[in-house]
Structure formats: structure tokens, C-alpha cells
Amino acid sequence: MPSPALSTRAETTSRRRLPQWATSFGPQIVTGLVVGVVLGLVARAMPVAADGNENWLVGTVHTIGSSYVKLLTVAVIPLVFTAIVSSIANLREVANAARLAVQTLLWFAITAFIAVIIGIVVGSITQPGARTGVSAATEKAPGTTGSWWAFVTGLVPSNFLGLNAKTTVAEGAASTSLSFNVLQLLVVAAAIGIAALKVGAKAEPFLQFNASLLAIVQKVLWWIIRLAPIGTAALIANAVATYGWDAIGSLGWFTAAVYVGLAIVFFAVYPVLIRAHGLSVRAFYSGVWPATQLGFVSRSSIGTLPLTERVTERNLGVPREYASFAVPLGSTTKMDGCAAIYPAIAAIFVAEFYGVPLSFTDYLLIIVVSVIGSAATAGTTGATVMLTLTLSTLGLPLAGVGLLLAVEPIVDMGRTAVNVTGQALVPTIVAKREGILDEARYNAERTGDPFEDDDTVAAA
């Protein structure tokens, strides 16, 4: 009978014989991207259905992709609530908790400032509005606009979980959809966590229950994240099949300008900040890459939040007590792509399109809106809302938003990828500056699976 050591060694050898893509999360996501592009091209080449609707392959990938994003989003509410309550309870063990919060907000502002400056420079050099082929006939009034009061009203919870209901009537049938405001959820969870600390010993059973619930939610998330390669393939296939290159068309210069700005921040600014704090650039990107990839295909910082928080903690070495506070906060108020680069370039585009010259004061206003505007629109986050806030501040026509709708999904992929990366970057920098970063974990070799040690932790 073989010894347990020999059996374990044989099992390990058997697993190692499998190809890397079959055992590592990162390569699985890349494989999903490649498969998705192929499926998208096939679906785009297929004829439409006899009734004029989309063909069966487009419908299939759309359903699978949207369903996966819904699964991720559903997990956000219990994750944010339980994680925030636990993090506040555990902050008793973290020195300078208030200093951590201030440092986080400060670095949110610093990186947003750098990103908006890059957006203004890129927009001024490329002049996307002067090279467009679209006409004013394509204008559409934005359905939602930003407001400087949105941040204040967004802080006040409308109910216990910050849920919002919207009912629409179409063809005589009414349908109701629910959405949630993560910022309001943060406020509720923070209030409960602080209250639990004030109550003292009587709150210990609640805190223990909350910790147990958090562990259960994380296990469910592990199952959902395991489906990411399938969701990735479906999401990218739907994007390719639906938009392809046709949507870029006459807005090619604008699209290229946005991606140039995003690339500078992603490949230049972030690495400089990482190196300036004595950290390995390679280790950071290998750690955050699973969340960056998922953010690109899902186009949702909120949907990617569970994975972003996990890689920040497990791969980058940020303490759980701090990561569970900083990452959810960043998912609503830290958006270098949507709230800095994009509105800066888009505002220049709209001004050039309508022949409105921008003064030095206007550029200063763009900077101010971008640095603090993401917080002002946190109650109704979104790049379109952020753009309307910028345009209204500058006095530019809001109808200019409709000119850019054709390429909105295409640029949103890159914006979200940068957003998600920045949401992991700031907690990492702050943790390093405060001396609480686990650098051994940060520099550890990646297995490609940010949830790998869940079973080990559960069994301990």
C-alpha cells in the first residue's frame, strides 16, 4: 500500500501534467477571450433570423454573458455589507485607521489629477472633434445627467440595502427592475459596524454571525468566479458580434484618443507610482491581472468588485481589514478611466465639434470636475453621467453626449479595465506607505487562482 506522501506526490505530478490553461485562472481567461473573439466573428458572419431578429448564436452569447454579469452583481450586496462590517470590527486591530481612510481618499484624488491632465493633453494633441465624420443629426439628449448634489443625496440611504425600483410599461405590460446604490450600502454597513463596536460585548454574537456569513458569501463567489472563462467568452463574443469595427467608423479618432490616454495611465503612470514606492511592477500586474481582464469584458466595476477585492488581498498583500473597506469605496469613487480620461477627451471633442473655444479656465474646470466629480456622481455612477456633469459645468451642449453613443461600449471596455486596476493600485500604495503591506505575498509566485487557498483556510 503506497504511503500518504507517495500518494500526494503522485497526485501533484498528475495535476502538473495538465496544460497550464486547464489549471490556472489567468490563462483560462485569456483562452476565453480568444474563443470569444472567434465566436463573435462567426456570429457576425451568420445571417439574421427569418423574422429579422438576431441569429441564435448572438442571442446565446448575449444571454450567457449578461447572466454572468448578473451573478457577479448579485454577490456584491452581501459581500460589501458583510465585508464592511467585518472590516470596521477588525479595524480595532489596525493602527491609524483614520489615517488610512484619509490616505486612501488623497491618493484617489492624486491619481485622478494625473489621469485628467493626460486626458487633456491627449485630447488637445489629437483634436478628435475636428476630425470626426459624424453629423449633428446623430445627437440624442442624454437620459440621465450629473448633478453636484448627487453625492449628498446619494449618501442618504433610501432603504436598508440602498435598493431602487424602476417600473416600465411597454406594450401594455409593466415590468419592475431592481438596482442598488453601493455608496448607500457602504453608509449603512459602516453605521452598523460602528454601532456594533460601541455596543461592545453584546454585539459579539452578531459580529461572529457576520464573519460566518462573509465566509459563506466568499465561497459562493469562488464558485461564480470559476465560471469567469465562460462568461468572458460570451461577453467578448457578444461585443464583437454586436459592434465589430462598424461602430468605430467616423469616430475612430475619438476612440483612438481615449485608448491612447488609457494606455498612458495603465502602462506608464501606474508603473511609475508602483516603482516610486519600491514595489515590483511585474508583481503588481501579475496580481491584479485577473480583475483587469474581467473588468475589460464585463464593463462593470461593481460586477468585478468581488474579484478586485480578492486579488488586492490575496495577490497584492493588502490586509483584509483595509482592503474590504478601500476597494468597495474605490468601486464607486475611484474611476480614472470613466471620471478623468474619458470626460476630459470627450469635453474637448464636444467643444471642437460645436466650434466652442476652451479657455485656460475651462481646462481648470475640467480638472476640478474630474478630481471631485466622481464622488459627486457616486449616487448615479457612469461615464455618461460624469460627462454630462463636465459639459454642464463648462456650459457646453449636453446633446453632444449623443454623438459618442455609437462607440460607448467599445471605449467602456478600456475605461473599466483602467478603473479596476486603479481601484487595486491605491490600497496597495497606501498599505505600503503605512507599513502594513505583506510584501512576501505581494512578491510571491502567482498560481493564477486568487481563490486557491479558500479550501485550506476553511479546513484550518
Side-chain angles (χ1 to χ4, degrees), residues 47 120 129 157 254 293 320 450:
I120 290 175
F254 173 77
Q293 290 174 315
R320 174 179 297 181

Side-chain angles (χ1 to χ4, degrees), residues 44-68:
R44 192 168 181 81
M46 293 174 62
V48 297
D51 56 2
N53 294 324
E54 59 190 16
N55 60 64
W56 67 269
L57 184 54
V58 174
T60 300
V61 295
H62 172 75
T63 301
I64 295 175
S66 60
S67 298
Y68 183 71

Side-chain angles (χ1 to χ4, degrees), residues 1 38 63 136 142 219 241 296-297 351-352 389 424 428 453:
M1 180 176 180
V38 174
T63 301
K219 175 58 68 175
F296 181 83
V297 296
E352 291 175 344
L389 178 63
T428 303
D453 58 346

Side-chain angles (χ1 to χ4, degrees), residues 133-225:
V134 299
S135 64
T138 62
E139 292 176 353
K140 296 179 182 179
T144 308
T145 58
S147 168
W148 285 104
W149 291 106
F151 177 62
V152 177
T153 57
L155 283 172
V156 182
S158 54
N159 52 65
F160 180 70
L161 293 177
L163 290 171
N164 299 311
K166 180 179 180 181
T167 301
T168 57
V169 179
E171 299 180 356
S175 61
T176 301
S177 60
L178 294 176
S179 60
F180 61 91
N181 187 311
V182 177
L183 186 63
Q184 292 181 5
L185 188 60
L186 283 169
V187 173
V188 172
I192 293 176
I194 295 172
L197 290 183
K198 295 295 184 180
V199 170
K202 291 183 179 180
E204 284 302 319
F206 166 74
L207 292 177
Q208 291 176 3
F209 168 77
N210 182 81
S212 298
L213 181 58
L214 175 59
I216 294 172
V217 170
Q218 289 175 332
K219 175 58 68 175
V220 173
L221 283 171
W222 184 88
W223 295 336
I224 296 174
I225 295 299

Side-chain angles (χ1 to χ4, degrees), residues 310-445:
R310 182 52 58 97
V311 299
T312 303
E313 173 195 338
R314 296 286 175 91
N315 289 356
L316 300 180
V318 178
R320 174 179 297 181
E321 297 80 10
Y322 172 50
S324 59
F325 164 78
V327 178
L329 179 64
S331 69
T332 59
T333 60
K334 168 62 181 165
M335 295 175 284
D336 290 339
C338 290
I341 299 171
Y342 177 77
I345 296 177
I348 293 173
F349 171 91
V350 173
E352 291 175 344
F353 182 84
Y354 288 102
V356 179
L358 295 178
S359 64
F360 179 74
T361 302
D362 292 324
Y363 288 114
L364 288 179
L365 286 175
I366 293 176
I367 295 173
V368 171
V369 172
S370 296
V371 171
I372 66 175
S374 56
T377 59
T380 51
T381 52
T384 299
V385 175
M386 183 64 200
L387 177 56
T388 62
L389 178 63
T390 305
L391 296 181
S392 61
T393 302
L394 297 176
L396 295 173
L398 292 181
V401 176
L403 298 170
L404 307 176
L405 292 180
V407 294
E408 171 65 18
I410 297 172
V411 298
D412 194 31
M413 290 180 173
R415 289 189 317 227
T416 308
V418 171
N419 291 344
V420 168
T421 306
Q423 290 157 15
L425 172 74
V426 169
T428 303
I429 289 177
V430 173
K432 169 64 176 178
R433 293 174 65 88
E434 295 299 313
I436 60 175
L437 185 70
D438 186 346
E439 295 194 46
R441 172 167 283 184
Y442 180 94
N443 294 306
E445 183 179 354

Side-chain angles (χ1 to χ4, degrees), residues 283-305:
F284 173 79
Y285 279 104
S286 65
V288 78
W289 192 243
T292 302
Q293 290 174 315
L294 187 58
F296 181 83
V297 296
S298 69
R299 296 171 48 205
S300 172
S301 293
I302 296 298
T304 313
L305 169 60

